[in-house]
Amino acid sequence: EAGVTQSPTHLIKTRGQQATLRCSPISGHTSVYWYQQALGLGLQFLLWYDEGEERNRGNFPPRFSGRQFPNYSSELNVNALELEDSALYLCASSLSGDPSGNTIYFGEGSWLTVV
Amino acid sequence: AQKITQTQPGMFVQEKEAVTLDCTYDTSDPSYGLFWYKQPSSGEMIFLIYQGSYDQQNATEGRYSLNFQKARKSANLVISASQLGDSAMYFCAMRGISNFGNEKLTFGTGTRLTIIP
């Protein structure tokens, strides 16, 4: 069974451009999470989608947005890219239900470099 | 609010020795889960082990075990018989359900483990 898949693996963009990152959750998982991990830093929570709706977002500006599609895959969009947006973006998925009992699995991440 | 604290930024351990990575947490949620993830230099986050707040026994997964002390709010990861491939960043994380919309994982700052041959 396929795990969480993310694309692209690497992306290089120029400051001011837009970046789109994609994530496919594990089959049967309806919750998708996005995290940002800047170089040498911990994971910062970005967004959580469940059943097609945004349930929670972290402390990031509105130029970070996303959506979840009917097949539960998800897209993260970063507009007006800034140099400090350069980071590893990790997507994770889990089942809905009792969150303390459902393990969250991560994809391999998308490396975004803004030049 | 949830908080995870990992006080060891880096550790060096001799191969084949056991290693304990510390993790303490703070939450007011009545029910929560504790997770450990391994992140090698490639960047992927690999799930290692999970402990539920109501689980009576400590979780074990192969060479990994979680020393869960609820009263002390600690969830230390123990790796037995360490191997060179264990060299990586290790993150402790927690997920609670204080109210709907708080179902995200909160991560600690991580511990970089280096196994010495």
Side-chain angles (χ1 to χ4, degrees):
Chain A
E1 183 180 331
V4 179
T5 58
Q6 292 186 243
S7 63
T9 306
H10 293 87
L11 187 62
I12 299 175
K13 289 286 188 178
T14 304
R15 190 170 53 183
Q17 285 187 315
Q18 178 198 35
T20 298
L21 309 177
R22 296 178 178 84
C23 173
S24 293
I26 291 172
S27 177
H29 286 188
T30 60
S31 277
V32 171
Y33 306 79
W34 287 96
Y35 285 82
Q36 181 198 64
Q37 187 179 25
L39 193 62
L41 298 179
L43 282 84
Q44 303 298 316
F45 169 70
L46 267 166
L47 291 159
W48 168 40
Y49 293 96
D50 184 58
E51 300 282 352
E53 293 191 16
E54 182 180 303
R55 301 296 190 184
N56 198 4
R57 68 177 289 130
N59 188 24
F60 280 84
R63 57 190 186 83
F64 286 83
S65 64
R67 54 181 170 166
Q68 186 178 34
F69 299 99
N71 66 355
Y72 304 117
S73 67
S74 178
E75 199 173 81
L76 173 68
N77 296 296
V78 188
N79 294 319
L81 285 166
E82 300 179 2
L83 296 179
E84 52 264 33
D85 296 334
S86 296
L88 175 66
Y89 289 84
L90 289 160
C91 173
S93 75
S94 75
L95 296 168
S96 285
D98 178 9
S100 66
N102 289 327
T103 299
I104 298 181
Y105 295 93
F106 283 81
E108 295 190 357
S110 293
W111 292 92
L112 172 63
T113 302
V114 183
V115 297
Chain B
Q2 300 174 79
K3 186 178 180 181
I4 294 281
T5 302
Q6 293 181 255
T7 58
Q8 305 153 311
M11 287 187 71
F12 291 84
V13 174
Q14 204 75 39
E15 189 179 8
K16 297 179 184 167
E17 287 187 352
V19 56
T20 298
L21 305 180
D22 295 340
C23 172
T24 57
Y25 62 92
D26 191 20
T27 182
S28 56
D29 292 340
S31 177
Y32 51 90
L34 295 156
F35 303 78
W36 277 93
Y37 288 87
K38 171 184 178 182
Q39 188 179 39
S41 56
S42 59
E44 62 182 310
M45 292 288 283
I46 302 168
F47 166 74
L48 294 178
I49 196 167
Y50 162 81
Q51 178 85 42
S53 59
Y54 291 116
D55 293 342
Q56 297 296 318
Q57 291 189 320
N58 287 342
T60 60
E61 288 285 348
R63 294 187 299 113
Y64 304 107
S65 60
L66 200 153
N67 184 2
F68 180 48
Q69 298 188 44
K70 195 171 182 177
R72 293 187 173 185
K73 293 189 174 180
S74 74
N76 298 340
L77 176 70
V78 179
I79 305 174
S80 63
S82 58
Q83 302 171 356
L84 295 178
D86 294 333
S87 294
M89 279 290 285
Y90 287 81
F91 290 95
C92 179
M94 177 172 63
R95 186 183 190 189
I97 50 168
S98 59
N99 51 61
F100 190 76
N102 192 32
E103 296 179 12
K104 64 181 185 293
L105 275 178
T106 299
F107 284 85
T109 51
T111 296
R112 181 169 295 283
L113 176 64
T114 303
I115 306 300
I116 305 167

